[in-house]
Amino acid sequence: MKRFKGPFTSVAAVFLSVLLLLTGCGGGSTADREGDKVTIRFSWWTNPTRTKMTQEAIKLFEEKHPDIDVVMEYSSWDSYWQKLATQTAGGGAPDVMQMDGSQLRTYVEKGQLMDLSTTDVDTSGLSKETLELGKVDGKLYGLTTSINSQMFIYNPEIFKKAGVSFPEDNYTWEELAELCIRIHEKTGVYGMANEMEQTGLLSYFARTKGEELYDGNKIGLSKKTLTEWFQYWLDLQEKGGVPTAEENASYSHNDPSASPFIKEKTAINWLFLGTDPNYEQSLGKPIGRGLLPEWGNDNKPYPLHGAMFWSMSSKTKHPEAAAKLINFLENDPEVAKIFKTDRGIPANNENMKIVAESAEDETVKKQTDFMEKVKAVASPEKLAPPGSSEIADILKNLSQQVTFKEITPSQAAEEFIKQGNKALSQG
């Protein structure tokens, strides 16, 4: 029997959750077994397209595994984490759950996740580097569903008008700055948005300097590197490579619909692979895709980013059934054809090829080609510590003060370390 649970409506499933919370029996011991069948719960955050795809995949799983029923639980990003926190606190976590890298270490430190290396989960289709993304202290708590990475997209038409081209070979931060300034001088279009407030790009900048954003539960950046970061963007602002402070403050950097790139006010845009098709569609013309500065350095600064993970509850009563579901979602080629690149580029190497070969549009092929380039030069990205969710707001506030010259880059660097460490200490 197949059971569906929407975000807010299934009375039966709510009853099951309450029962689990009251008994503290995790995946359940009485309500989850009927004859030789077992029932496991699977949760994920979603959007309408992902919901439909995942339901289709679970239907296929139950056809292939008639001895296992899957109760599906899904909701929006914010609701998902609120609900999961309540469930895990009450001992009623789903048997299998979709996990994010920003949350993985938090749930591991609370003892909520199973070391997947002790289960029957098949990891043979993933590279060693991809597997490392889901490890904490050497144990595998998250199996990377898909990978993505930071990238630049650019507007070839503006580049042509400026008489410049995007670097194909390794290039420096200084050469990027010169490129942005030249584009503005030749066309009046800014080279790119001021990305001073982006923690992801700051983290990458630090890796090119041989540092990491985090060192355990502390800020890992030196004052020198942070000062260079704030000064880099302030210099670009003063030389016309990026918008003025007033223009920069007039839009949300995390809202693609407000991006100056799609309004052709900037020529280059920083983002994570996966959102690039939306920008291309909004721009209404072809875009180019390029690697970040210093991607070819010997210390491999380019981070390989786990887009999402499959995790198993440490309290599950059915680890064998849960492992079968994770194996199916991760490794089955039919599932890969259903999911395509909705969760990012498949982490399973063979499924990545299948998705690229079966793609009906050229964009997916371009995305997989880009990830092949990244994988050749990247190293795994470290998981963020508990409390890191506040770092983005700290960096954003300080960056705005720097762009308006209310504080100096050096003062901003000192404050970032001070405020960041305080947030991380409160985990």
Side-chain angles (χ1 to χ4, degrees):
M1 177 176 67
K2 173 168 60 66
R3 284 172 275 181
F4 292 95
K5 182 182 179 189
F8 309 110
T9 56
S10 173
V11 174
V14 169
F15 173 77
L16 174 60
S17 297
V18 171
L19 178 62
L20 293 171
L21 289 172
L22 291 174
T23 59
C25 58
S29 59
T30 55
D32 60 356
R33 181 176 288 279
E34 183 178 347
D36 294 331
K37 271 194 169 186
V38 297
T39 297
I40 58 175
R41 294 161 54 224
F42 166 45
S43 68
W44 74 96
W45 69 87
T46 197
N47 56 50
T49 300
R50 183 173 302 156
T51 299
K52 186 177 179 181
M53 289 176 171
T54 309
Q55 288 174 338
E56 183 179 351
I58 294 302
K59 179 181 179 182
L60 186 60
F61 174 79
E62 291 180 326
E63 290 174 358
K64 291 189 175 184
H65 300 276
D67 58 331
I68 303 173
D69 276 346
V70 179
V71 175
M72 294 182 275
E73 303 176 3
Y74 50 89
S75 56
S76 63
W77 168 267
D78 289 339
S79 298
Y80 180 81
W81 296 110
Q82 293 170 4
K83 183 176 179 180
L84 188 60
T86 301
Q87 290 175 323
T88 52
D95 300 274
V96 176
M97 63 197 90
Q98 188 172 281
M99 184 56 62
D100 184 74
S102 65
Q103 301 289 328
L104 185 59
R105 184 176 285 276
T106 298
Y107 278 86
V108 169
E109 293 189 0
K110 292 180 179 178
Q112 300 291 350
L113 303 183
M114 182 82 78
D115 177 2
L116 297 178
S117 62
T118 65
T119 71
D120 294 330
V121 169
D122 179 9
T123 62
S124 61
L126 281 70
S127 69
K128 179 181 177 182
E129 292 76 14
T130 305
L131 271 180
E132 287 294 323
L133 297 172
K135 288 186 177 180
V136 176
D137 299 330
K139 295 182 178 179
L140 183 65
Y141 293 103
L143 187 64
T144 311
T145 66
S146 47
I147 52 178
N148 64 9
S149 188
Q150 299 180 45
M151 66 188 301
F152 281 146
I153 58 174
Y154 60 93
N155 185 323
E157 283 191 7
I158 296 176
F159 269 62
K160 186 176 181 180
K161 290 177 182 176
V164 297
S165 57
F166 196 90
E168 292 291 331
D169 299 326
N170 196 25
Y171 62 105
T172 67
W173 287 100
E174 289 71 25
E175 288 170 329
L176 173 64
E178 292 169 3
L179 179 63
C180 290
I181 294 168
R182 182 177 174 85
I183 289 171
H184 186 247
E185 290 174 345
K186 294 292 183 181
T187 66
V189 175
Y190 294 113
M192 60 187 298
N194 190 332
E195 303 291 9
M196 187 190 294
E197 68 175 63
Q198 298 288 2
T199 53
L201 192 54
L202 169 59
S203 177
Y204 177 79
F205 181 82
R207 287 168 66 102
T208 65
K209 308 294 182 183
E211 298 181 11
E212 294 281 351
L213 178 55
Y214 302 111
D215 180 10
N217 291 331
K218 295 183 178 179
I219 296 296
L221 303 182
S222 66
K223 180 184 174 185
K224 178 177 180 293
T225 294
L226 275 165
T227 302
E228 288 179 7
W229 170 258
F230 289 116
Q231 190 68 56
Y232 180 83
W233 293 103
L234 186 60
D235 288 346
L236 263 178
Q237 176 181 299
E238 294 182 342
K239 295 176 182 178
V242 300
T244 65
E246 290 77 10
E247 290 172 303
N248 181 61
S250 67
Y251 69 94
S252 169
H253 287 241
N254 295 317
D255 179 4
S257 66
S259 170
F261 180 82
I262 64 174
K263 299 174 182 175
E264 299 196 78
K265 293 183 177 179
T266 57
I268 304 171
N269 201 87
W270 171 84
L271 44 72
F272 277 87
L273 184 145
T275 55
D276 47 313
N278 293 331
Y279 279 85
E280 188 164 39
Q281 185 176 17
S282 297
L283 182 66
K285 58 184 70 174
I287 60 173
R289 293 168 174 80
L291 295 165
L292 304 185
E294 305 195 22
W295 57 266
N297 288 6
D298 291 338
N299 63 342
K300 290 193 169 186
Y302 225 99
L304 189 63
H305 180 74
M308 300 178 192
F309 302 86
W310 302 128
S311 291
M312 186 187 300
S313 169
S314 60
K315 309 295 192 301
T316 181
K317 302 296 183 184
H318 303 294
E320 292 182 2
K324 286 180 180 177
L325 177 58
I326 292 177
N327 281 334
F328 179 79
L329 295 170
E330 180 77 13
N331 300 316
D332 194 290
E334 291 184 77
V335 174
K337 291 178 182 176
I338 294 172
F339 287 170
K340 300 176 183 175
T341 59
D342 176 69
R343 286 178 165 87
I345 304 299
N348 181 294
N349 292 323
E350 289 301 316
N351 285 346
M352 180 189 290
K353 296 176 183 175
I354 289 172
V355 168
E357 291 170 357
S358 61
E360 296 176 356
D361 64 78
E362 194 177 348
T363 299
V364 173
K365 179 68 166 56
K366 290 179 179 177
Q367 289 178 310
T368 54
D369 287 348
F370 185 86
M371 279 310 303
E372 288 292 347
K373 291 181 183 177
V374 170
K375 289 174 68 177
V377 299
S379 58
E381 185 176 50
K382 292 185 177 180
L383 294 170
S388 59
S389 58
E390 294 186 34
I391 300 301
D393 286 339
I394 293 171
L395 181 60
K396 180 178 180 179
N397 292 336
L398 292 172
S399 295
Q400 289 186 349
Q401 293 177 61
V402 172
T403 59
F404 282 101
K405 299 183 180 179
E406 296 170 354
I407 58 175
T408 67
S410 177
Q411 290 171 325
E414 288 182 2
E415 279 299 311
F416 182 82
I417 294 172
K418 178 183 175 182
Q419 295 179 29
N421 281 332
K422 182 179 180 181
L424 295 176
S425 69
Q426 296 171 347

